[in-house]
Amino acid sequence: MLFVSMDHYGGMVTILFIHSAGPQGPGEGSSALLTGLRAILPPRVALVAPLMPKPDAPEAEPWLMALDAEMRAIEGDFVMLGHSLGGSVILQTLARFGVPDRLLGVVTLAAPFWGAGGWEMEDFALPHDASTRLRALPRLVILQGDADEVVEKNHPNLYQTLLPQALVTVLPGIDHEASLAAPAVLDALKSITPL
């Protein structure tokens, strides 16, 4: 997941990136995407990428609590970005704890829709009233690679049915690891706030 915090006085933008499930060492999980983002983000952007609890065997409650703590630690306006599980956990966290007034928007990439066929883990699923709880979300950009071999192509549409404010963008040639997706992610962030 990625948060972009805008300091209106100093112009510094802080990005908090929440990663996928699984190992997060070099060449694993979201590391290639993170490396790509670090290479192209403007100098005034600080990228922060905390390791979420037990990424090899993630459990919903510890991830939700960790993400809520990260949100509370951000000062000023921010944008959130999550890769894979990180993206779906962002939406669940916002549905559970509320949409902060200073949140400018959310970008997800390759986020599974929990509850869809093959993805029946109730602990990670959005609550039944998520569309009402997330109505205050100012912007939601859902990115999905057309070469994703993990998350089915219909998952963004499932999110969009539940959250009609979502803008879905299909990224040609991008797989689940999303190692080449950094430019598209940067464009999505720029559609929410100037970087």
Side-chain angles (χ1 to χ4, degrees):
M1 166 189 95
L2 179 82
F3 291 79
V4 178
S5 174
M6 176 62 95
D7 174 359
H8 293 288
Y9 302 102
M12 177 58 103
V13 176
T14 302
I15 298 176
L16 172 61
F17 179 81
I18 302 302
H19 57 75
S20 63
Q24 296 300 315
E28 299 176 313
S30 298
S31 66
L33 174 59
L34 187 57
T35 298
L37 285 170
R38 284 188 173 128
I40 65 170
L41 287 170
R44 67 184 194 91
V45 176
L47 183 61
V48 178
L51 185 63
M52 296 299 280
K54 298 183 349 186
D56 291 348
E59 298 174 9
E61 193 64 22
W63 277 52
L64 294 171
M65 298 310 292
L67 180 49
D68 184 52
E70 294 290 348
M71 278 196 314
R72 292 176 189 277
I74 300 285
E75 294 182 13
D77 296 338
F78 63 96
V79 175
M80 302 167 73
L81 168 87
H83 177 220
S84 190
L85 179 61
S88 56
V89 169
I90 287 172
L91 296 174
Q92 187 185 22
T93 301
L94 294 173
R96 180 169 172 181
F97 297 109
V99 177
D101 291 339
R102 62 192 194 286
L103 179 65
L104 301 175
V106 171
V107 177
T108 69
L109 172 60
F113 187 91
W114 299 96
W119 295 87
E120 292 93 359
M121 291 188 67
E122 188 175 325
D123 289 351
F124 286 108
L126 288 170
H128 69 279
D129 59 348
S131 62
T132 300
R133 292 181 184 207
L134 295 174
R135 188 174 295 140
L137 186 59
R139 298 255 319 162
L140 174 57
V141 179
I142 298 174
L143 305 175
Q144 179 72 27
D146 68 357
D148 191 326
E149 67 288 357
V150 177
V151 175
E152 291 82 3
K153 292 174 178 51
N154 68 328
H155 284 222
N157 296 331
L158 295 172
Y159 276 117
Q160 194 173 43
T161 298
L162 184 67
L163 305 168
Q165 74 268 38
L167 171 65
V168 173
T169 301
V170 177
L171 306 178
I174 300 297
D175 62 8
H176 191 73
E177 183 183 69
S179 61
L180 302 176
V185 170
L186 183 59
D187 288 345
L189 291 169
K190 287 179 177 179
S191 77
I192 293 173
T193 189
L195 298 179

